[in-house]
Amino acid sequence: MVGQIFSPDLFSRSQPKFELVPKEICGDISRVIDTHYKNLGNEVVSVEKLSGLEINSKNFKVAIGPRIYALKRTDKKVNATSCTEQLTVSQQLLEHGIPFPRIVKNDDRALLSFHDDGFVWILAEFVKGDYFSGRSKDFFAIARAIGVMQNTLETIEHKTLPLSVSVG
């Protein structure tokens, strides 16, 4: 019998489960959406977080009208320039067919929203999917995706990308 390397946690299930957040948190998130994303034209219908042994309670699944989004609250000390550059690269990768969530620009057409609560918020289209299960087909899919992403990164010119370094 092979022993477990890691204790079970919320990633032990390959299909994520969500639960509604308390009304107070829903109200806080509604204020962020109402302040920065009026361009979406609808009010917040529901706010959920991952259920179980949650390790990142800064990510929320938000229904705004008929659409579903992922909302991330970053630390108050986030480097806004670096974060914006990273989000820009992710959107360039998306344009080249690499699967990344599309970031929703706020009413000021910015990728980051600076709210009066001191936090920085990022809204993206929610992408339904499963966690890595450890099955052989998942290893192949990840290896292929990393290869395609690496090839694509080599074609994108951006100051946040690391310089190419020869290993051999």
Side-chain angles (χ1 to χ4, degrees):
M1 182 172 162
V2 178
Q4 271 187 299
I5 296 175
F6 301 105
S7 299
D9 63 9
L10 95 136
F11 300 110
S12 298
R13 297 184 312 243
S14 61
Q15 293 185 336
K17 304 287 184 210
F18 295 90
E19 63 185 41
L20 292 172
V21 299
K23 283 186 177 186
E24 177 184 314
I25 293 173
C26 189
D28 292 343
I29 288 174
S30 290
R31 282 186 286 285
V32 169
I33 298 300
D34 291 344
T35 302
H36 301 284
Y37 298 96
K38 291 181 190 83
N39 59 346
L40 297 178
N42 291 296
E43 67 180 57
V44 173
V45 176
S46 68
V47 178
E48 298 174 277
K49 68 177 185 74
L50 287 170
S51 64
L53 303 170
E54 169 62 90
I55 60 167
N56 191 351
S57 58
K58 299 175 188 176
N59 295 330
F60 302 94
K61 180 179 172 184
V62 182
I64 303 171
R67 305 209 47 193
I68 306 294
Y69 298 90
L71 181 67
K72 179 175 184 65
R73 184 185 76 201
T74 66
D75 293 329
K76 294 179 180 184
K77 297 178 183 178
V78 68
N79 180 327
T81 301
S82 176
C83 189
T84 299
E85 289 170 355
Q86 291 170 15
L87 291 171
T88 299
V89 170
S90 76
Q91 298 311 280
Q92 289 174 326
L93 288 168
L94 178 64
E95 290 168 8
H96 285 83
I98 305 299
F100 272 91
R102 186 182 69 80
I103 304 300
V104 178
K105 291 183 178 178
N106 64 23
D107 294 337
D108 295 327
R109 307 289 302 146
L111 298 173
L112 302 177
S113 297
F114 297 87
H115 195 57
D116 59 13
D117 60 3
F119 291 104
V120 179
W121 296 83
I122 302 164
L123 188 68
E125 291 179 349
F126 181 80
V127 178
K128 186 176 179 179
D130 295 340
Y131 294 125
F132 177 72
S133 70
R135 292 188 298 265
S136 296
K137 68 176 185 164
D138 286 352
F139 280 107
F140 178 75
I142 286 175
R144 186 179 184 302
I146 289 171
V148 171
M149 185 169 61
Q150 180 61 40
N151 286 338
T152 304
L153 283 170
E154 290 174 1
T155 68
I156 295 175
E157 291 186 30
H158 202 280
K159 60 185 169 183
T160 59
L161 297 176
L163 297 173
S164 296
V165 178
S166 175
V167 199

